[in-house]
Amino acid sequence: MARIPVFTVAILLFFIASFQASSATSKPTGLSMKLIRRDLLFPGNLTTFQRIRRLVQLSVRAQNFNSFPSLNQSEDNVLVRLPIGRVPESYAYVVEFKIGSQLHPVKLLMDTGSSLIWTQCEPCIQCYPQKVPIYDSRTSTSYSKLPCTHELCQGENNRFRCYNNECVYNIQYGATSRRNSPRTKGVASFEAFQFPVDTVHTTVINDMIFGCSNDNPNIDFANGQVSGILGLSRGPDGLASQLAKRGIIENRFSYCLVPFHDVLRQPTILRFGDDIPIPVGNLQYTDFILYPGRNHYYVELLDISVGFQKMGFESIPGMFELRQDGSGGSLIDSGTVVSTIDENTVGRNAYKEVMAAFQAYYDKKKFRRKGGQVEEKFELCYYNKAGFRDFVTMTLHFEGGDYFIDGKYMHYFADEEEEGEGYFCVALFKSSKTILGAWQQQNVRIIYDMNGGGFQWITETCANDHFP
């Protein structure tokens, strides 16, 4: 048998040892989770149209909470932080994973407008109905409370407050009134989270900061399938921020929302870090705007086009900027189902003028206006014309890039079989902020890059984005 030179053996042993050392010390650099669109959790044998209508109707309910006070108030010595003026009942997507030593399953609504990750906790003071068992921290050996000495529980940038020797929170959603607003209260804590790596394997990340919520007045997720919220905003207690701080991933996440009518065939995937695919084509971006004390994903909107008609809003500097009372501003938010346009912009009413442009387009084409108010509460609706496909588009002109919205994603289509005579509506609501919501994010690769890349987007066939 031929002898292998000693030098060659040494080289082989060196590479083997290097590979073993690298494998032993390597950390996961990416993470992916399936997103379940919330209407798929509705009980009953509903058609696709019925499910989508119900989801939009939940979004309509959130319009009642469209006021935007200051971010910080205190009540009974407990910190109150007010996320953007929405109710959690309206959020569109659910993510499922397990927590604790008992691997307790949780289903949390994805929210890019708030940062805290929280789930209902026993023993309850006031919990809303939940079909799956409520998480009980007393049964988990991996659970512990966040100490009052933690950086998030003291100092100028605290997210929580020490009260009766516990690090606690009191979050109010919306701002109709203190008595009736949905809110969650509980203890800031540590727990082990188990995430799926692929269809077979999982990974456990210990000591994740989350909220153990045992008092949740005026929150009702209707079907009892949801146990809390997965916060993804820029705050230090958000999921991406926590994973990045610990060096597990780069501070960025992404999703590509499968069109609402196709979601039964293919789920949407929420991706973090290196699990985000490299886009093919002209990736556009705009920088995030950082407002003190606000962790939402604000961007600079310059103008809006309806079809080929540019509205000319850029002639008024700062028209879409955040105002002193907290209203105004333009942001990206997956928790808002249908996009909104600010009706209180300085100098001109942006919402009114945009809707007038849509109306002029369809009136010119002799569409018959649907009178009265539709169940979905859209303002501008028309009866269908057989074979018509030239639905008008909309473009949001951000600083640095144009976000183009195809006509089929700018409208809501009512099913003819359900309605007798089919109709369509311009899928926009008025608000005191301009928000790019989930409806207008269909079939677009969305990337939130907190490493300096800002908000990035590119058109993509999202049904081709498969779970690892």
Side-chain angles (χ1 to χ4, degrees), residues 179-303:
R179 177 177 298 177
N180 299 320
S181 292
R183 66 174 61 209
T184 182
K185 309 175 189 178
V187 179
S189 309
F190 292 114
E191 186 54 287
F193 287 9
Q194 184 193 72
F195 297 109
V197 175
D198 51 38
T199 55
V200 177
H201 303 93
T202 61
T203 184
V204 175
I205 303 175
N206 294 313
D207 297 326
M208 293 292 294
I209 296 172
F210 83 112
C212 193
S213 290
N214 61 0
D215 192 5
N216 306 298
N218 302 314
I219 289 181
D220 181 10
F221 291 123
N223 58 10
Q225 295 279 357
V226 176
S227 56
I229 290 177
L230 181 77
L232 283 172
S233 81
R234 301 175 61 91
D237 48 343
L239 179 59
S241 299
Q242 289 194 59
L243 295 176
K245 184 176 182 180
R246 296 170 61 173
I248 296 172
I249 64 165
E250 291 184 345
N251 197 357
R252 58 195 184 104
F253 67 92
S254 173
Y255 52 76
C256 191
L257 300 183
V258 176
F260 284 19
H261 287 86
D262 299 339
V263 77
L264 285 171
R265 293 190 287 272
Q266 177 66 31
T268 289
I269 311 299
L270 175 63
R271 298 181 178 275
F272 297 85
D274 289 346
D275 272 18
I276 300 174
I278 299 174
V280 177
N282 183 25
L283 182 69
Q284 298 199 66
Y285 76 95
T286 186
D287 290 330
F288 290 126
I289 300 176
L290 304 181
Y291 292 112
R294 296 178 183 269
N295 293 310
H296 309 106
Y297 296 104
Y298 284 96
V299 291
E300 185 176 0
L301 178 63
L302 302 176
D303 210 336

Side-chain angles (χ1 to χ4, degrees), residues 364-414:
K364 187 175 181 180
K365 293 185 177 296
K366 308 299 182 183
F367 273 84
R368 183 163 56 100
R369 182 87 177 265
K370 181 174 173 57
Q373 193 173 61
V374 298
E375 287 187 42
E376 301 83 6
K377 309 297 183 184
F378 290 117
E379 183 176 310
L380 187 62
C381 299
Y382 294 89
Y383 289 104
N384 290 334
K385 280 185 178 181
F388 182 81
R389 293 292 181 270
D390 195 19
F391 296 99
V392 68
T393 63
M394 189 173 85
T395 304
L396 300 175
H397 301 285
F398 295 119
E399 174 64 40
D402 296 331
Y403 188 97
F404 175 81
I405 305 167
D406 191 277
K408 60 186 173 184
Y409 303 129
M410 264 314 304
H411 299 80
Y412 169 89
F413 299 93

Side-chain angles (χ1 to χ4, degrees), residues 42-54:
F42 294 149
N45 186 24
L46 302 178
T47 65
T48 299
F49 168 71
Q50 289 170 332
R51 291 182 184 279
I52 293 174
R53 165 179 274 181
R54 189 171 297 186

Side-chain angles (χ1 to χ4, degrees), residues 300-303 312-323 345-348:
E300 185 176 0
L301 178 63
L302 302 176
D303 210 336
F313 296 143
E314 60 187 342
S315 64
I316 304 178
M319 183 172 175
F320 293 99
E321 286 183 359
L322 188 71
R323 296 185 282 271
T345 44
V346 178
R348 296 164 64 180

